[in-house]
Amino acid sequence: MGRVTVRRPVRKISATKDVRRPDALAAEEPLEIRVGGKALVVTMRTPGNDVELAHGFLLSEGVLASREDVAVARYCDGVDDQGRNTYNVLDIALAEGVAPPETGVERNFYTTSSCGVCGKAALDAVKLKSRFSPGKSEFAVSTDVLATLPDTLRAHQKVFSSTGGLHAAALFDGDGNLAVVREDVGRHNAVDKVLGWALQEGRIPAADAGLLVSGRASFELVQKAAMAGIGLLAAVSAPSSLAAELADENGMTLIGFLRGDSMNLYGGEQRVLGLD
């Protein structure tokens, strides 16, 4: 898996044994995203699918609307002590006529793998308006299909199986088929990679799909789904209060605690089939 995982020695201690052995850890490295040669953000991510990550990030920030908005994406600079490219600096050249990020989108040049909005330069810039209305999505899925999704997602989490340390996100259809699955140490990065894939595949707005995440549903993840025109977000864990409020404001369906045949529906019941 290359740089996706890193082998490290570990001493495993329990009540019955004390052994030393190698262990696989999820790789975490910085990625600097530049637009037109200008640094925009540094995010801590799991290497891989970086072009998707950058596309998804810029989509969720309102910069991109289609794959035609990007002229070229290329790695640049960023060399190690032996002069080899680290592949940790990615520059996006926008197509002619596409406006660059506004000042309010710029971040304090660093976000952790656990936070995608904490580096915003201004609080007012956090709440973005989507050019695709998620409330108009006619996507619908049954409770029976929803109940199968966590196990289906887990079966596709190859790196999680070896490290136990990654979040996952996926787009799914009304029959429970997963169109794309991406893993990352950051839940927002995993979603950006999925949305970037959809943008490059010409599937934005993604009004015909739902978004599934392996962890909690935060404000930023609801916002990213809204910016892609997705009407339904399902999370294995809990939503935050702001996530529920934002989903409601955008006419979205928000599902939390999706575990087995149990789930909590926080709004948007019209997209969930099989309810009384």
Side-chain angles (χ1 to χ4, degrees):
M1 295 179 183
R3 290 162 59 223
V4 177
T5 61
V6 177
R7 302 289 286 181
R8 297 278 296 184
V10 63
R11 182 175 179 179
K12 187 174 179 63
I13 303 171
S14 68
T16 58
K17 61 182 179 180
D18 183 343
V19 297
R20 298 179 185 271
R21 60 176 177 80
D23 191 26
L25 301 180
E28 182 176 26
E29 296 182 10
L31 175 68
E32 178 182 322
I33 299 175
R34 300 178 181 177
V35 176
K38 182 181 179 181
L40 179 65
V41 67
V42 173
T43 184
M44 301 302 296
R45 95 308 189 189
T46 299
N49 306 109
D50 291 334
V51 175
E52 291 178 352
L53 192 161
H55 278 65
F57 173 79
L58 292 173
L59 166 68
S60 65
E61 296 290 350
V63 178
L64 305 180
S66 71
R67 58 189 172 190
E68 287 75 22
D69 289 343
V70 174
V72 64
R74 64 183 182 86
Y75 289 102
C76 57
D77 294 344
V79 296
D80 60 19
D81 55 6
Q82 297 182 13
R84 296 173 300 189
N85 197 322
T86 63
Y87 296 99
N88 285 336
V89 182
L90 187 68
D91 189 26
I92 302 293
L94 300 177
E96 185 177 354
V98 178
E102 298 178 1
T103 303
V105 174
E106 293 180 3
R107 299 170 186 254
N108 296 330
F109 209 57
Y110 176 78
T111 65
T112 70
S113 57
S114 61
C115 179
V117 298
C118 52
K120 283 285 189 179
L123 185 59
D124 290 343
V126 170
K127 214 167 189 178
L128 302 175
K129 182 175 177 59
S130 175
R131 55 181 102 187
F132 311 115
S133 176
K136 294 181 179 180
S137 168
E138 297 181 357
F139 177 77
V141 61
S142 70
T143 54
D144 289 341
V145 169
L146 285 167
T148 68
L149 290 176
D151 286 343
T152 302
L153 179 63
R154 180 64 181 273
H156 284 78
Q157 291 181 251
K158 297 180 180 178
V159 184
F160 179 87
S161 297
S162 62
T163 67
L166 292 180
H167 296 281
L171 286 180
F172 62 93
D173 64 19
D175 295 322
N177 301 308
L178 305 187
V180 59
V181 177
R182 293 291 182 262
E183 295 180 276
D184 200 277
V185 287
R187 59 175 62 87
H188 57 95
N189 289 335
V191 170
D192 280 341
K193 289 178 179 181
V194 164
L195 299 186
W197 173 89
L199 188 77
Q200 291 182 304
E201 292 293 316
R203 296 187 56 169
I204 296 297
D208 60 347
L211 177 63
L212 175 66
V213 295
S214 61
R216 63 185 179 87
S218 62
F219 170 93
E220 60 179 334
L221 298 194
V222 173
Q223 177 174 283
K224 287 178 182 295
M227 295 298 284
I230 296 172
L232 185 149
L233 171 62
V236 173
S237 192
S240 68
S241 61
L242 280 179
E245 290 176 17
L246 185 63
D248 188 58
E249 288 177 14
N250 282 279
M252 296 170 62
T253 301
L254 180 61
I255 297 169
F257 295 105
L258 179 58
R259 300 169 184 175
D261 60 0
S262 175
M263 65 195 77
N264 289 355
L265 182 56
Y266 294 90
E269 295 184 4
Q270 74 276 11
R271 295 189 185 87
V272 181
L273 307 176
L275 300 176
D276 294 333

